[in-house]
Amino acid sequence: MKVKLSQRVQMVHESVTLKMNALAQDLIQQGQDLVNLTAGEPDFPVHELVKQAVIQAVHDNKSKYTLAVGVLELREAVARKTNLQQTSLAIPWTAKDVIITNGGKQALFNSFLAVLNPGDQVLIPSPYWTSYPEMVKLAGGEPVIVRTKSEFGFKLTPEQLSEAFLAFPRARVLVLNSPNNPTGAVYSKHEYQNLARILQTQAPADFLVISDEIYDGIVFKPFQFCSFLQAVPEWVNQTITINGLSKSAAMTGWRVGWSVAPLALTQAMAKIQGQSTSGINALAQAAAIKALSLPECEFIPQLESYQRRAELSAKILSEAKGLTLIRPQGAFYHFINCQAYLLPQETISEFCERMLKDALVALVPGDAFGEKTYARLSITVPEDQLAKACSRLVTVLKRKAA
Ligand code: PMP
Ligand code: GLU
């Protein structure tokens, strides 16, 4: 090809989660009896009232551009939802602090583009969602991976954060993600407050926290969701909260996410969105208003189903004694250490390919999340499918051990 590609695009990797999902879907279409546990995508249908809202919006001719930041009614609904989760803030959020984005992804991307300058470092605790480092690179920053430990539940400790500040003096942003994709770790108020003590003493004055809370609705008993700013309200002027409807309302394809941030940051991100994608699809915004008006109890059956699936799959997988599995506290994944079952020299990608071929189960290799011996399994298929997939994996793994 004669056209030269930008250095920017050559620097980033393709999204492995999306790639593996596409590959699995392709094989299923070709007739393979495959169980696809790759995508971080709820299998539940969208709520009936949300469907009706979008049909109504079509009839009401909601077919025009909206404001680039999203329609007022939706931004007000997002501000209300966020205020309920951040009751310790002295001044509640209003619509002017909110931007409606194409999924949580665009809210994250806007954030990095709005604050990073060349050479700025972004602290990303690993295991991390696969797109963070690549987005940081696209925005001209430098991702710095801070590896958390399984013995601490894959949570960043104050000691690690402190060491990171000493080792990376150009750190300007910390990305937090609770409940976490891929580990399911959920930070408590106390854990956030411990991290905040280090932020107060060691972070530069212009430091920013990006708190990705997109799995807020999926937390298993007895754990509880805590928004970062609920625990640490004094960081209100230096935090962007990211959220959306993809996971909690099972609306991945509708592409509704948002950022909530102080006005100056919101205005900067709005400028970027206004010059790139504009406002998101007007019909999806009408649907989102309805989704946000539904009481939480409407989503309890989904939550209970994830909890049952998490337990069921853990029970079956525990038959393969070499697998190490930490029970997720939230989100909808198992992040499994497969080290004991790797063949000599086998990489985790090759292991996942072998599972695809021999067990007919599609997983995502953990190196996409920063861990070379782990694989991620999404519990986003019905229980019978999940049980089938886990039993198949156990059979293949035990065969190797025999
Ligand atoms: N953050 C995390 C941790 C995720 O897992 C995802 C899933 N894609 C996103 C953000 C982006 O979500 P969306 O599909 O709403 O863009
Ligand atoms: N967040 C989901 C996942 O991790 C969806 C795919 C993506 O956007 O990466 O699988």
Side-chain angles (χ1 to χ4, degrees):
M1 186 174 78
K2 283 199 178 141
V3 178
K4 258 208 280 180
L5 295 178
S6 69
Q7 288 169 358
R8 182 177 296 115
V9 80
Q10 293 184 60
M11 232 161 35
V12 296
H13 300 290
E14 185 182 356
S15 165
V16 179
T17 46
L18 296 182
K19 184 171 125 190
M20 292 301 289
N21 188 25
L23 175 71
Q25 287 187 2
D26 214 33
L27 291 172
I28 290 169
Q29 261 185 357
Q30 288 171 27
Q32 295 238 27
D33 173 30
L34 191 90
V35 188
N36 179 9
L37 304 182
T38 61
E41 168 157 74
D43 54 318
F44 298 103
V46 169
H47 196 286
E48 204 47 48
L49 293 177
V50 177
K51 290 183 186 171
Q52 284 170 19
V54 83
I55 292 166
Q56 189 59 45
V58 174
H59 290 301
D60 291 347
N61 292 312
K62 297 238 163 102
S63 49
K64 306 292 182 204
Y65 290 133
T66 71
L67 288 178
V69 290
V71 297
L72 179 63
E73 195 183 347
L74 178 53
R75 285 181 293 125
E76 282 172 347
V78 168
R80 264 197 309 278
K81 173 190 160 77
T82 314
N83 288 332
L84 288 174
Q85 295 180 327
Q86 300 179 355
T87 52
S88 46
L89 293 184
I91 303 171
W93 299 110
T94 65
K96 68 178 181 347
D97 307 308
V98 177
I99 304 178
I100 308 301
T101 56
N102 274 284
K105 242 176 188 168
Q106 190 183 17
L108 287 159
F109 202 49
N110 283 346
S111 308
F112 293 126
L113 281 177
V115 302
L116 293 179
N117 284 306
D120 284 346
Q121 293 172 323
V122 177
L123 303 178
I124 303 176
S126 82
Y128 49 77
W129 177 47
T130 191
S131 293
Y132 297 143
E134 307 310 303
M135 285 188 189
V136 168
K137 285 191 261 173
L138 281 170
E142 188 187 314
V144 169
I145 307 305
V146 184
R147 201 161 169 219
T148 67
K149 297 203 168 97
S150 61
E151 51 279 29
F152 297 122
F154 282 127
K155 290 180 192 170
L156 182 68
T157 63
E159 294 73 25
Q160 286 180 311
L161 184 58
S162 172
E163 280 163 26
F165 277 123
L166 296 175
F168 303 103
R170 284 182 286 114
R172 287 222 32 238
V173 179
L174 168 67
V175 180
L176 292 172
N177 172 218
S178 169
N180 179 273
N181 174 5
T183 65
V186 174
Y187 284 73
S188 68
K189 186 172 183 180
H190 185 64
E191 285 163 337
Y192 274 149
Q193 287 171 340
N194 285 341
L195 291 178
R197 276 191 290 109
I198 305 298
L199 290 174
Q200 302 289 37
T201 50
Q202 286 184 251
D206 60 356
F207 197 74
L208 175 76
V209 172
I210 297 179
S211 182
D212 180 350
E213 306 184 357
I214 199 151
Y215 293 93
D216 65 344
I218 309 168
V219 176
F220 305 136
K221 282 188 201 135
F223 301 98
Q224 277 184 340
F225 171 72
C226 178
S227 182
F228 176 72
L229 283 181
Q230 177 70 352
V232 193
E234 56 278 22
W235 270 74
V236 65
N237 290 323
Q238 286 168 254
T239 299
I240 301 177
T241 304
I242 308 287
N243 208 328
L245 295 175
S246 296
K247 317 292 172 173
S248 49
M251 287 170 65
T252 43
W254 300 57
R255 310 308 299 135
V256 185
W258 56 78
S259 57
V260 181
L263 196 56
L265 284 168
T266 294
Q267 282 170 341
M269 293 190 284
K271 199 155 59 163
I272 291 165
Q273 186 152 319
Q275 293 291 23
S276 52
T277 58
S278 283
I280 77 161
N281 183 313
L283 299 173
Q285 294 191 58
I289 292 168
K290 178 53 81 181
L292 283 169
S293 76
L294 297 172
E296 247 171 55
C297 60
E298 291 292 323
F299 297 98
I300 288 178
Q302 297 187 11
L303 176 62
E304 287 176 346
S305 175
Y306 290 132
Q307 179 133 24
R308 273 198 311 276
R309 292 172 187 186
E311 281 157 18
L312 169 79
S313 44
K315 188 156 170 260
I316 301 175
L317 290 169
S318 68
E319 289 167 30
K321 300 277 178 255
L323 292 178
T324 339
L325 184 121
I326 297 182
R327 288 291 173 97
Q329 301 174 342
F332 37 56
Y333 308 100
H334 278 302
F335 199 51
I336 310 164
N337 193 349
C338 306
Q339 180 143 38
Y341 292 104
L342 294 180
L343 301 174
Q345 314 299 323
E346 189 179 44
T347 65
I348 193 67
S349 292
E350 288 161 349
F351 171 86
C352 289
E353 276 169 36
R354 183 156 62 87
M355 291 307 113
L356 193 63
K357 204 159 62 52
D358 295 356
L360 292 173
V361 176
L363 305 167
V364 182
D367 47 2
F369 311 98
E371 284 291 336
K372 288 192 170 68
T373 63
Y374 283 69
R376 190 189 77 175
L377 177 155
S378 296
I379 53 169
T380 49
V381 293
E383 278 174 52
D384 58 333
Q385 288 284 308
L386 187 62
K388 178 162 102 176
C390 293
S391 302
R392 283 178 178 179
L393 287 169
V394 168
T395 306
V396 170
L397 295 174
K398 276 189 170 169
R399 206 188 296 150
K400 187 240 156 181

